[in-house]
């Protein structure tokens, strides 16, 4: 009861806040969810796990689910119960809410120069009856100098819920994190994820985020390139239909010289779906020789679909190379006819062209198994169309 | 057998085809020649079912099947193939995936079993060899970065793999040098058999030296004005369309 009251007063961000101008959280406020109850027997949820072998940390309704998890190598500490200092995130209302409610999360620490292979992090949320629930997890991922990890993050669930995770990532000099995120929440749910990524000299963060689910989703990434020669790639795709709303927001701060950032976001919008892309690159005075690139492309599959793009550059250094762009278009009728003239039925032809549209963003995903998982998630999107 | 009877079609209210009557019996290859703007490409697109053309009258039957009632993919499944004058580039679509998807869609529609990746590759490699094409053609994106000649060869490759009953070659010779022309012509000739027929649309007689047609038709002003044997193509080459008195119709003359 106490938690519910706190939620009501929590002050979700309103559209008056510039960074929330295109995404309206009033439907979430109206949901009035309660804290997700513990699920005693999680074994029935095994069917919801992604088809990936190897170590796996599974959280169900915001709590660790050892029965569904596969322990990572002992070199990686994967502790629970981590709660961070919320002071840093004061300007981000959802992160503040997370700090207020989060009790658990994974703490993954990869020692210096250790190749930790692939680890899967799964969030399952289940509303057991018609009462909407919420979960707030806070994870911390720290890679030591020269360490590498491929982290596959997967979110799914049952029923009506709000999932509001925060992930803090720190990459020591020369560390490399490949982060593949698949958001496949239920069509009635709300998903708002906030990521903080801090990169030191020569560190590499390569993310691909796929948004498929949720009635309303926002993926917000704050990356800070704080050491010379660091590299961040924040690619992603969202495939939305019906009344879905998907928001991809990022702030990439170049604080050190000679860093590179790359971002290619692909939006596929059918029905009355609405996509939002907000991308901001900030280049500090010290960040000479910055090389930043950002591109948002939207494919509108219906006349009612909509995309709002807001790319921003804020540059204080004088020797930088930064560019950004946005394209919006429909499927090319010439291409569609060419495929159909070869006997490929219209629906399959459209699926091929959409897959082709995504290709450029997906081809950067190096891990074969993770890529196969992405392919199958995208392939499945058509079955619901 | 392809039967076109009284076919009329327009684009945005402007009549382009003004009553085409043409029969291509099974096993025969016919050529259609004509000046620019005569309706050659419109005829090929109308037969294949491209959007943007309004058929205002007439009928088209392939072995008795009413083609005009079918979607483009159904026409392909019924055995029709259009080799495009301007093959379309498909960035992000691999040629092998494209060919296999097309072949299996067609096979499925015909009630035949689908080919797996291994069976398909065997078939595709053999077809590539016949057309003097490199294996890496399969790995590239469809027509992306292909030279003009490679695009045309890729069209003939698709035809060789899909094995249509009836092929329309829309100015497949345009942009080809003589070596590429011979390879493309050999590819078409290799498909010639009693159950295959084709309509070769061309501007020049040159292609018809290598793909010798059974009949030649001259299209102008959206109508077939003259039909004859291969000698008609040679007569056109010597005297031009003007020599046939087509300028009187107000057509552009090449």
């Amino acid at each position: 009861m106490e938690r519910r009251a706190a939620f009501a007063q929590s002050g979700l961000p309103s559209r008056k806040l510039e960074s929330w101008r295109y995404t309206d959280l009033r439907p979430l406020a109206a949901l009035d969810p309660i804290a997700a109850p513990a699920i005693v027997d999680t074994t029935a949820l095994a069917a919801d796990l992604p088809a990936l072998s190897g170590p796996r940390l599974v959280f169900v309704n915001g709590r660790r689910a050892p029965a569904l998890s596969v322990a990572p190598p002992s070199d990686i500490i994967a502790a629970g119960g981590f709660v961070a200092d919320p002071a840093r995130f004061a300007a981000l209302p959802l992160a503040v809410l997370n700090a207020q409610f989060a009790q658990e999360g994974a703490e993954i620490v990869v020692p210096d120069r250790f190749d930790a292979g692939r680890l899967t992090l799964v969030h399952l949320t289940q509303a057991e009856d018609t009462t909407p629930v919420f979960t707030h997890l806070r994870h911390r991922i720290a890679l030591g100098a020269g360490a590498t990890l491929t982290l596959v993050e997967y979110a799914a669930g049952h029923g009506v819920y709000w999932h509001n995770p925060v992930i803090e990532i720190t990459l020591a000099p020369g560390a490399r994190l490949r982060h593949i995120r698949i958001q496949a929440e239920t069509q009635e749910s709300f998903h708002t994820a906030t990521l903080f990524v801090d990169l030191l000299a020569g560190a590499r963060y390569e993310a691909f985020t796929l948004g498929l689910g949720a009635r309303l989703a926002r993926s917000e990434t704050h990356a800070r390139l704080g050491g010379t020669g660091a590299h961040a790639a924040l690619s992603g795709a969202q495939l939305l239909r019906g009344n879905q709303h998907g928001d991809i927001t990022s702030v990439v701060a170049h604080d050190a010289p000679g860093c590179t950032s790359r971002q290619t976001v692909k939006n596929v919008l059918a029905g009355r779906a609405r996509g939002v892309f907000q991308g901001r690159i900030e280049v500090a005075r010290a960040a000479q020789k910055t090389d930043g690139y950002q591109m948002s492309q939207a494919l509108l599959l219906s006349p009612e679909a909509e995309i709002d793009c807001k790319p921003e550059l804020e540059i204080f250094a004088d020797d930088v190379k930064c560019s950004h762009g946005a394209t919006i278009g429909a499927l090319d009728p010439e291409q569609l006819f060419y495929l159909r003239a070869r006997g490929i039925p219209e629906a399959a032809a459209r699926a091929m062209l959409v897959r082709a549209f995504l290709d450029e963003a997906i081809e950067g995903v190096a891990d074969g198994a993770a890529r196969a998982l992405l392919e199958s998630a995208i392939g499945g999107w058509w079955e619901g169309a | 057998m392809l039967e076109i009877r009284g076919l009329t079609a327009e684009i945005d209210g402007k009549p382009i085809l003004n009553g085409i009557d043409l029969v291509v019996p099974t096993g025969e290859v016919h050529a259609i020649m004509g000046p620019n703007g005569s309706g050659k490409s419109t005829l090929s697109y109308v037969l294949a079912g491209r959007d943007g053309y309004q058929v205002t009258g007439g009928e088209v039957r392939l072995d008795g099947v009413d083609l005009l009632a079918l979607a483009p993919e159904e026409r392909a499944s019924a055995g029709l193939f259009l080799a495009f004058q301007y093959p379309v580039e498909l960035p992000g679509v691999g040629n092998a995936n494209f060919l296999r998807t097309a072949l299996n869609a067609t096979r499925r529609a015909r009630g035949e079993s689908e080919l797996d990746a291994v069976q398909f590759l065997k078939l595709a490699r053999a077809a590539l060899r016949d057309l003097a094409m490199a294996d890496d053609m399969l790995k590239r994106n469809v027509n992306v970065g292909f030279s003009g000649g490679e695009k045309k060869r890729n069209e003939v490759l698709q035809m060789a793999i899909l094995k249509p009953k009836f092929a329309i070659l829309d100015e497949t010779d345009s942009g080809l040098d003589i070596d590429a022309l011979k390879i493309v012509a050999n590819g078409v000739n290799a498909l010639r058999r009693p159950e295959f027929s084709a309509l070769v649309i061309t501007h020049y007689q040159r292609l018809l030296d290598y793909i010798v047609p059974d009949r030649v038709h001259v299209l102008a002003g959206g109508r077939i004005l003259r039909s004859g044997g291969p000698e008609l193509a040679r007569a056109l080459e010597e005297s031009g369309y003007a020599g046939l008195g087509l300028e009187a119709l107000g057509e552009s003359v090449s």
Side-chain angles (χ1 to χ4, degrees):
Chain A
M1 208 51 226
E2 185 191 331
R3 289 205 158 179
R4 190 166 189 155
F7 179 79
Q9 295 162 21
S10 63
L12 289 166
S14 85
R15 293 183 56 217
K16 287 181 192 139
L17 211 61
E18 179 59 26
S19 61
W20 287 91
R21 209 170 126 193
Y22 300 107
T23 295
D24 188 350
L25 288 181
R26 278 176 299 183
L28 172 57
L31 198 67
D32 197 21
I34 60 163
I39 305 288
V40 181
D41 181 8
T42 58
T43 52
L45 294 168
D48 297 330
L49 297 174
L52 272 184
S53 60
R56 181 169 68 208
L57 296 175
V58 182
F59 289 81
V60 174
N61 281 7
R63 294 161 183 87
R64 298 196 63 174
L68 298 176
S69 300
V70 177
S74 55
D75 307 69
I76 305 176
I77 303 157
F82 179 81
V83 179
D85 171 14
R88 179 184 170 189
F89 319 129
L92 301 169
L94 294 182
V96 170
L97 275 170
N98 173 281
Q100 200 175 330
F101 291 105
Q103 288 188 313
E104 281 199 49
E107 184 171 21
I108 300 161
V109 180
V110 181
D112 291 354
R113 288 174 295 284
F114 185 78
D115 179 358
R118 187 178 68 225
L119 174 67
T120 308
L121 180 61
V122 182
H123 309 105
L124 300 175
T125 313
Q126 179 166 33
E128 285 189 300
D129 51 33
T130 54
T131 311
V133 301
F134 63 74
T135 66
H136 301 269
L137 280 159
R138 181 177 292 252
H139 306 296
R140 192 171 81 91
I141 293 147
L143 269 60
T148 58
L149 172 69
T150 295
L151 180 71
V152 180
E153 204 192 328
Y154 183 84
H158 296 276
V160 184
Y161 56 87
W162 176 35
H163 179 206
N164 183 46
V166 169
I167 304 182
E168 292 172 83
I169 296 168
T170 55
L171 304 178
R176 181 173 198 168
L177 177 65
R178 295 188 173 102
H179 193 184
I180 296 107
R181 306 164 66 209
I182 300 177
Q183 183 270 100
E185 311 275 22
T186 65
Q187 297 285 315
E188 304 81 43
S189 65
F190 293 80
H191 175 102
T192 51
T194 309
L195 273 78
F196 299 95
V197 187
D198 283 305
L199 297 97
L200 295 182
R204 295 178 70 84
Y205 177 67
E206 296 159 25
F208 182 87
T209 301
L210 177 66
L212 294 170
R215 167 182 167 189
L216 184 152
R218 166 134 151 165
S219 167
E220 181 169 337
T221 304
H222 295 262
R224 198 176 77 90
L225 298 148
T228 305
H231 172 76
L234 307 174
S235 290
Q238 51 182 353
L239 284 72
L240 308 173
R241 67 164 74 85
N243 287 312
Q244 281 183 296
H245 177 107
D247 176 338
I248 295 175
T249 292
S250 64
V251 179
V252 178
H254 284 260
D255 284 355
C259 295
T260 51
S261 65
R262 293 285 178 273
Q263 185 170 32
T264 302
V265 172
K266 303 271 184 170
N267 304 275
V268 178
L269 305 164
R272 286 180 303 281
R274 185 163 177 211
V276 176
F277 172 77
Q278 303 187 105
R280 184 179 168 85
I281 300 177
E282 300 172 351
V283 182
R285 196 176 298 276
Q288 300 295 355
K289 305 286 181 195
T290 285
D291 180 353
Y293 170 81
Q294 183 187 74
M295 171 61 79
S296 164
Q297 296 179 325
L299 185 57
L300 305 184
L301 298 179
S302 89
E304 290 87 28
E306 189 183 324
I307 175 104
D308 292 294
C309 292
K310 194 175 76 170
E312 288 177 283
L313 292 176
E314 189 184 86
I315 301 173
F316 291 105
D318 51 23
D319 182 14
V320 303
K321 193 170 93 184
C322 277
S323 60
H324 60 189
T327 65
I328 299 172
L331 285 180
D332 180 351
E334 294 289 328
Q335 295 182 336
L336 204 53
F337 175 63
Y338 191 62
L339 291 169
R340 295 178 70 192
R342 294 296 174 257
I344 300 170
E346 187 177 3
R350 289 169 73 91
M352 274 181 96
L353 292 178
V354 170
R355 177 60 191 80
F357 170 75
L358 299 173
D359 197 62
E360 181 196 349
I362 293 177
E363 70 183 3
V365 177
D367 186 280
R371 207 180 149 120
L373 187 66
L374 284 172
E375 296 285 2
S376 101
I378 290 166
W381 188 70
W382 293 97
E383 288 157 29
Chain B
M1 180 164 69
L2 182 81
E3 301 161 275
I4 304 175
R5 311 249 182 234
L7 183 64
T8 57
E10 54 186 48
I11 304 172
D12 299 330
K14 184 178 173 237
I16 308 288
L17 302 182
N18 295 307
I20 305 258
D21 289 287
L22 179 65
V23 174
V24 183
T26 304
E28 292 192 5
V29 171
H30 288 201
I32 288 194
M33 301 182 73
N36 287 328
S38 59
K40 299 191 303 291
S41 281
T42 297
L43 176 62
S44 64
Y45 283 139
V46 165
L47 293 178
R50 188 189 195 214
D51 277 347
Y53 300 87
Q54 295 83 44
V55 174
T56 48
E59 62 169 11
V60 179
R61 291 187 179 275
L62 179 61
D63 293 340
V65 174
D66 178 8
L67 281 187
L68 298 180
L70 302 179
E73 58 269 31
E74 295 168 330
R75 297 182 197 200
S77 300
L80 184 75
F81 182 93
L82 168 63
F84 282 57
Q85 184 181 359
Y86 303 107
V88 179
E89 297 185 5
L90 302 175
V93 179
N95 217 14
N97 177 35
F98 166 62
L99 287 166
R100 190 174 152 218
T101 305
L103 177 61
N104 280 337
T106 305
R107 289 178 66 91
R108 209 163 44 237
R110 291 175 188 163
E112 297 164 6
S113 66
E114 294 184 26
L115 298 189
D116 64 28
V118 176
Q119 293 168 315
F120 168 76
L121 267 184
K122 203 175 151 197
L123 183 138
R125 289 216 172 101
L128 280 164
R129 243 191 337 268
D130 292 344
L131 290 164
M133 291 165 78
D135 274 9
D136 78 342
M137 200 88 162
L138 291 176
K139 291 183 191 142
R140 294 163 66 182
N141 284 346
V142 180
N143 295 326
V144 178
F146 284 29
S147 69
E150 283 177 326
K151 284 183 180 175
K152 295 302 174 78
R153 263 188 267 182
N154 203 30
E155 292 295 290
V156 178
L157 173 70
Q158 292 165 40
M159 185 165 73
I161 286 173
L162 295 175
K163 294 199 169 33
K165 284 200 281 196
F166 191 93
I168 305 161
L169 288 91
D170 187 3
E171 301 205 18
T172 298
D173 51 337
S174 67
L176 293 186
D177 63 29
I178 192 69
D179 293 329
L181 184 79
K182 283 180 186 168
I183 289 166
V184 163
N186 287 342
V188 175
N189 288 329
L191 291 171
R192 288 183 88 156
R193 57 175 69 78
E195 63 277 14
F196 174 79
S197 26
L199 196 56
V200 179
I201 294 175
T202 180
H203 210 76
Y204 303 104
Q205 192 252 338
R206 192 179 65 158
L207 177 65
L208 304 181
D209 288 340
Y210 300 98
I211 304 174
V212 180
D214 296 291
R215 298 281 291 168
V216 174
H217 309 277
V218 179
L219 184 71
R223 280 193 194 89
I224 303 284
L225 286 195
R226 198 164 297 186
S227 297
E231 72 285 353
L232 179 58
R234 281 189 290 275
L236 271 175
E237 188 78 356
E238 281 160 24
S239 59
Y241 293 107
L244 288 176
L246 302 181
E247 75 273 40
L249 293 162
E251 294 302 316
S252 60
V253 171
S254 71

